[in-house]
């Protein structure tokens, strides 16, 4: 999808005292009707009372009081949530909606096309609506993201509110309060005005900031100061399944403090008044990484702070933190919208997500969350994965950002390497490695992507307003650093999508395949409980039951007719184990016959012959002799 396809609404039922385009940002000509907002504040402050104390039934009870005037009114449940890049607001989990005025029930009608819009007529004499509903937090991951367990809660405000349509989210004020389970502690970027037992009353704020400020609460909670004495404080607020998981090993804590310092050196001024990493360490709570301007939601392995988690997950916090600059403070103009019920365009996500992914790799290495060998193993896997994506044959990197908006619910893809739905992350990271290497080469080592980030994302200390940019702004910023035809350089890589080796080679390294284990692939195998044969046979198999999790398009397994979700029963006539498949790989190096797999698909059994004789193949980075080692400079702490 390119620009907006179908936008429905309903201008007739919106109450719009005076229409004006959103003042900042975006291209007014490209802005759909629904994005047009009143040039006025919503009169009065909306009171929002959320009771999230029910940890067993996980029903969050909402009461809301909205000051209104008589006449037609539309209320919206937030649909397009920033950072999701997709219309993911969980309106199917809202239930029990009842709206009263002066104690009398007012009928509401859901829009026939926009399921997020509720229409009603405010009767004469009513100056406030009293709204009640429940948000039914999923009790298992089959219903959606598990964000509430008996030990922790992730309260995202967009799930527990309605707001009046037709206004800028910066100009609708909320006074929120939240009741937590008895005795729980919490972390959030919100300012707490007062406490009343387990109820927190927050200082009134604009809707846009409320939705951007989730809260983590837990039975077990610990807060770390990552930069004591800083003007713009950075904290790590941790909830966990058990109290001992809250205790960070000193080396791990030091690496997080180094992350804050190294990010300062890359980006310059901190564009927030304060920042809270919200971190959940749990097997029960769904994993998450979601950026906000003054906080981020992170959910990962319970052993993370003890150093027991797979290192491949250590770039999560560097990724989300980089977004405070790249994505939240500086935002692509097409991704900026005046409220949460108009589509957000993804046109520049290869910068928003791609460069963030690049800085996540670099900052993980510079802060010590990865050593250099680990960073190179991650890069080797990334380059090898992108290199074998035959999806490059039919769709460009630029095209992937457009489809992202319907694919963002983590739905598995049948043919990931052919569909390449999320390549603006991995492919985007390699694009920026290429830009960094080119900048270093052209400037003879005087300029790098660090200078770009410092100039483009650094701004004024403590600033929390969004500043938008366009493709031309990106090109101008690069050109100011180092004159070059950057527009052509970027467009060639975005539209033609060549093989992703240039940046690596220009950094003084190349990718080779051999039988030495790749530490990043081994760590991911442990974390995901599978065996990864993508770079030899072209498939990945679940350890638990031999189910195929991926078949690489056009690879040896693909040519043998295998598909995802077939179950491998036998290898060369013997019951399947990963070790036996590895043995068969080695034997096939010197033997002529193909490797024979017996698989089950539903009730059918079939035999597939994989004609592959190159043995174990794992990607690894190798220095190119006689060239400058730019990669090691990129990864070294400053
Ligand atoms: Zn991201």
């Amino acid at each position: 999808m390119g620009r907006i396809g179908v936008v429905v609404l309903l201008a007739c039922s919106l109450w719009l005292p005076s229409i004006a385009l959103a003042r900042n940002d975006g291209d007014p000509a490209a802005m759909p009707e629904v994005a047009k907002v009143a040039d006025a504040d919503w009169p009065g402050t909306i009171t929002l009372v959320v009771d999230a104390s029910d940890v067993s039934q996980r029903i969050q009870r909402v009461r809301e009081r909205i000051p209104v005037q008589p006449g037609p009114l539309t209320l919206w449940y937030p649909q397009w949530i920033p950072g999701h890049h997709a219309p993911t607001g969980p309106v199917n989990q809202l239930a029990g909606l009842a709206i009263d005025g002066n104690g009398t029930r007012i009928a509401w009608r859901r829009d026939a096309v926009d399921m997020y819009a509720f229409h009603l007529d405010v009767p004469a004499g009513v100056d406030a609506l009293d709204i009640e509903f429940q948000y039914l937090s999923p009790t298992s991951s089959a219903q959606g993201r598990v964000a509430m367990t008996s030990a922790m809660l992730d309260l995202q405000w967009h799930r527990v509110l309605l707001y009046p349509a037709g206004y800028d989210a910066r100009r609708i004020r909320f006074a929120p309060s939240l009741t937590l389970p008895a005795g729980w502690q919490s972390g959030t970027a919100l300012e707490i005005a007062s406490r009343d037992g387990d109820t927190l009353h927050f200082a009134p704020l604009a809707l846009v900031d409320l939705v951007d400020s989730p809260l983590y609460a837990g039975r077990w909670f610990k807060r770390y100061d990552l930069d004591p004495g800083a003007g713009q404080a950075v904290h790590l607020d941790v909830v966990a399944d058990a109290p001992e998981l809250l205790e960070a090993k000193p080396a791990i804590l030091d690496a997080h403090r180094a992350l804050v310092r190294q990010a300062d050196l890359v980006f310059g001024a901190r564009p927030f008044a304060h920042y809270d990493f919200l971190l959940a360490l749990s097997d029960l709570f769904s994993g998450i990484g979601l950026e906000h301007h003054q906080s981020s939601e992170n959910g990962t392995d319970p052993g993370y702070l003890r150093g027991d988690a797979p290192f491949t997950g250590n770039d999560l916090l560097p990724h989300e933190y980089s977004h405070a600059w790249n994505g939240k403070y500086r935002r692509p103009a097409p991704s900026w919208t005046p409220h949460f019920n108009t589509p957000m365009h993804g046109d520049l996500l290869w910068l928003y997500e791609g460069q963030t992914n690049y800085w996540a790799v670099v900052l993980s290495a510079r802060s010590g969350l990865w050593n250099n060998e680990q960073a190179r193993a991650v890069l080797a896997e990334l380059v090898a994965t992108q290199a074998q994506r035959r999806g490059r044959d039919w769709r460009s990197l630029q095209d992937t950002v457009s489809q992202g908006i319907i694919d963002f619910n983590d739905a598995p893809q049948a043919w990931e390497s052919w569909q390449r739905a999320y390549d603006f992350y991995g492919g985007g990271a390699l694009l920026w490695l290429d830009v960094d290497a080119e900048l270093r080469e052209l400037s003879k080592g005087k300029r790098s992507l660090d200078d770009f980030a410092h100039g483009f994302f650094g701004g004024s200390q403590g600033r929390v307003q969004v500043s938008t940019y366009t493709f031309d702004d990106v090109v101008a910023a690069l050109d100011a650093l180092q004159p070059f035809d950057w527009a052509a350089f970027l467009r060639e890589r975005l539209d033609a999508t060549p093989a992703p080796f240039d940046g690596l080679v220009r950094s003084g390294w190349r990718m080779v395949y051999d039988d030495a284990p790749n530490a990043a692939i081994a760590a991911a195998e442990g974390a995901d409980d599978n065996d990864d044969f993508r770079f030899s046979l072209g498939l990945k198999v679940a350890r638990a039951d031999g189910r195929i999790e991926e078949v690489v398009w056009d690879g040896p397994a693909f040519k043998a007719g295998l598909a995802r979700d077939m179950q491998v029963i036998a290898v060369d006539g013997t019951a399947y184990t990963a070790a036996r498949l590895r043995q068969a790989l080695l034997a096939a190096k010197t033997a002529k016959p193909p490797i024979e797999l017996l698989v089950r698909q539903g009730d059918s059994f079939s035999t597939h012959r994989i004609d592959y004789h190159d043995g174990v193949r794992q990607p690894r980075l190798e220095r190119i002799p006689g060239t400058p080692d730019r990669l090691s400079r990129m990864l070294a702490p400053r």
Side-chain angles (χ1 to χ4, degrees):
M1 197 179 109
R3 314 299 290 181
I4 301 302
V6 182
V7 175
V8 253
L9 261 195
L10 350 147
C12 56
S13 55
L14 295 182
W15 176 57
L16 300 175
S18 65
I19 300 272
L21 286 170
R23 289 152 304 161
N24 267 3
D25 322 302
D27 169 9
M31 210 170 259
E33 274 301 302
V34 68
K36 294 176 182 173
V37 292
D39 185 18
D41 299 333
W42 179 260
T45 298
I46 297 173
T47 311
L48 178 65
V49 177
V50 179
D51 183 344
S53 62
D54 180 356
V55 287
S56 48
Q57 294 185 306
R58 300 174 191 177
I59 300 164
Q60 296 174 6
R61 296 172 194 282
V62 179
R63 283 186 293 125
E64 201 174 346
R65 187 171 172 86
I66 305 183
V68 292
Q69 295 173 23
L73 178 69
T74 297
L75 298 174
W76 270 329
Y77 187 71
Q79 177 181 18
W80 289 81
I81 312 307
H84 288 225
H85 317 307
T88 54
V91 72
N92 55 328
Q93 287 153 8
L94 172 156
L97 178 63
I99 303 177
D100 286 351
N102 291 341
T104 303
R105 187 60 41 96
I106 298 172
W108 56 264
R109 174 178 58 82
R110 194 190 300 249
D111 188 81
V113 179
D114 176 6
M115 67 183 115
Y116 289 81
F118 300 88
H119 306 300
L120 61 144
D121 281 301
V122 180
V126 169
D127 60 7
L129 299 178
D130 291 301
I131 300 174
E132 278 191 34
F133 66 90
Q134 300 93 43
Y135 169 68
L136 308 175
S137 191
T139 53
S140 84
S141 53
Q143 300 153 28
R145 189 179 150 246
V146 174
M148 193 171 192
T149 72
S150 52
M152 64 184 67
L153 160 72
D154 173 6
L155 195 285
Q156 295 178 321
W157 297 97
H158 70 82
R159 294 170 186 263
V160 291
L161 62 83
L162 294 171
Y163 71 99
Y167 281 77
D168 187 322
R170 295 170 297 188
R171 304 183 74 177
I172 304 174
R173 280 186 85 69
F174 271 76
S177 64
L178 174 66
T179 302
L180 294 173
W184 284 26
Q185 292 174 274
S186 60
T188 177
L190 291 175
E191 189 188 328
I192 297 172
S194 65
R195 285 168 200 271
D196 172 13
D198 292 305
T199 299
L200 306 175
H201 298 277
F202 303 101
L205 75 170
L207 172 61
V208 67
D209 298 323
L210 179 62
V211 166
D212 197 40
S213 307
L215 173 145
Y216 272 24
R219 183 183 301 270
W220 294 291
F221 175 89
K222 184 157 180 166
R223 190 166 206 232
Y224 294 93
D225 188 344
L226 295 183
D227 191 10
Q232 281 75 32
V234 181
H235 285 95
L236 178 62
D237 302 329
V238 193
V239 294
D241 286 342
E244 62 273 16
L245 300 171
L246 300 171
E247 302 306 324
K249 253 172 73 173
I252 305 267
L253 190 58
D254 285 349
H256 287 83
R257 292 189 163 136
L259 165 64
V260 172
R261 277 197 310 278
Q262 293 294 328
D264 283 346
L265 293 170
V266 171
F267 296 114
R270 298 181 187 172
F272 42 76
H274 45 77
Y275 189 93
D276 286 78
F277 285 103
L278 309 177
L279 176 63
L281 304 178
S282 174
D283 283 325
L284 303 167
F285 178 92
S286 299
I288 185 173
L290 184 59
E291 65 274 22
H292 301 286
H293 201 131
Q294 305 206 91
S295 62
S296 54
E297 291 164 85
N298 306 276
T300 189
D301 189 286
Y304 178 75
L305 287 180
R306 305 204 296 189
D308 297 338
F311 77 88
T312 40
N314 287 3
D315 58 344
L316 174 64
L317 271 61
H319 181 106
E320 302 310 333
Y321 192 48
S322 298
H323 270 318
W325 289 267
N326 179 8
K328 302 311 289 191
Y329 164 45
R330 295 303 316 269
R331 193 167 313 167
S335 298
W336 186 91
T337 57
H339 55 68
F340 309 112
N341 290 73
T342 187
M344 294 170 186
H345 303 191
D347 295 20
L348 290 158
L349 283 179
W350 46 266
L351 198 167
Y352 180 127
E353 292 296 357
Q355 197 178 123
T356 295
N357 236 22
Y358 178 65
W359 287 122
V361 170
V362 169
L363 288 172
S364 297
R366 290 185 186 174
S367 64
L369 285 162
W370 289 339
N371 61 38
N372 271 8
E373 208 174 316
Q374 290 172 328
R376 285 198 299 267
V378 168
L379 275 172
E381 192 277 339
L382 182 58
V383 174
T385 298
Q386 288 296 314
Q388 74 169 187
R389 295 234 153 153
R390 292 301 301 273
R392 287 187 290 110
D393 294 353
W394 74 272
R395 72 186 304 194
S396 64
L397 190 60
Q398 181 67 51
D399 184 61
T400 64
V401 305
S402 303
Q403 196 193 335
I405 65 167
I406 60 162
D407 267 345
F408 227 82
N409 283 315
D410 287 339
Q413 300 167 75
W415 301 100
E416 188 178 328
S417 60
W418 187 235
Q419 292 167 275
R420 68 177 317 219
Y422 308 112
D423 275 6
F424 53 92
Y425 284 87
L430 296 180
L431 168 71
W432 289 104
L433 170 67
D434 205 358
V435 174
D436 197 351
E438 182 76 47
L439 272 170
R440 288 168 193 260
E441 184 175 78
L442 289 169
S443 69
K444 302 195 169 32
K446 291 195 193 67
R447 296 270 180 269
S448 71
L449 202 66
D450 282 65
D451 301 296
F452 171 82
H454 206 273
F456 198 72
F457 298 118
S460 40
Q461 199 85 311
R463 178 188 156 125
V464 289
Q465 270 85 46
V466 178
S467 160
T468 62
Y469 62 84
T470 63
F471 179 82
D472 291 346
D473 296 331
V474 177
V475 168
L478 286 167
D479 200 57
L481 272 183
Q482 178 65 48
F484 185 59
D485 191 352
W486 290 107
F489 182 95
L490 290 171
R491 289 265 55 106
E492 186 193 327
R493 283 153 182 80
L494 290 166
D495 300 331
T497 316
F501 301 121
D502 286 8
L504 188 62
V505 168
R506 207 176 279 118
S507 303
W509 292 71
R510 65 185 159 216
M511 193 189 60
V512 294
Y513 293 97
D514 58 24
D515 58 4
N518 175 304
I521 292 174
E525 285 174 323
D528 300 338
D529 205 22
N530 59 26
D531 293 288
D532 189 346
F533 299 99
R534 277 178 304 155
F535 304 110
S536 51
L537 298 170
L539 85 169
K540 209 190 269 185
V541 188
R543 282 183 183 162
D545 56 3
R547 196 177 46 77
I548 296 177
E549 293 185 346
E550 184 179 350
V551 173
V552 175
W553 190 271
D554 231 12
F558 179 90
K559 288 173 179 155
L562 292 163
R564 190 184 172 127
D565 290 309
M566 289 175 171
Q567 188 186 11
V568 185
I569 305 294
V571 185
D572 291 336
T574 310
Y576 170 78
T577 65
R580 282 192 183 126
L581 184 52
R582 239 171 245 119
Q583 270 168 15
L585 262 183
L586 292 175
K589 250 188 125 166
T590 48
K592 258 210 145 72
I595 299 167
E596 202 171 88
L597 296 188
L598 173 67
V599 306
R600 176 178 186 157
Q601 188 178 37
D603 288 340
S604 308
F605 289 79
S606 53
T607 299
H608 299 259
R609 291 175 187 85
I610 307 180
D611 198 13
Y612 173 81
H613 303 278
D614 288 336
V616 174
R617 256 173 118 243
Q618 295 276 30
R620 182 170 61 77
L621 298 192
E622 180 182 85
R623 274 285 287 132
I624 304 172
T627 61
D629 183 0
R630 299 195 172 102
L631 182 64
S632 297
R633 251 167 273 150
M634 293 167 186
L635 300 177
R638 287 174 52 186

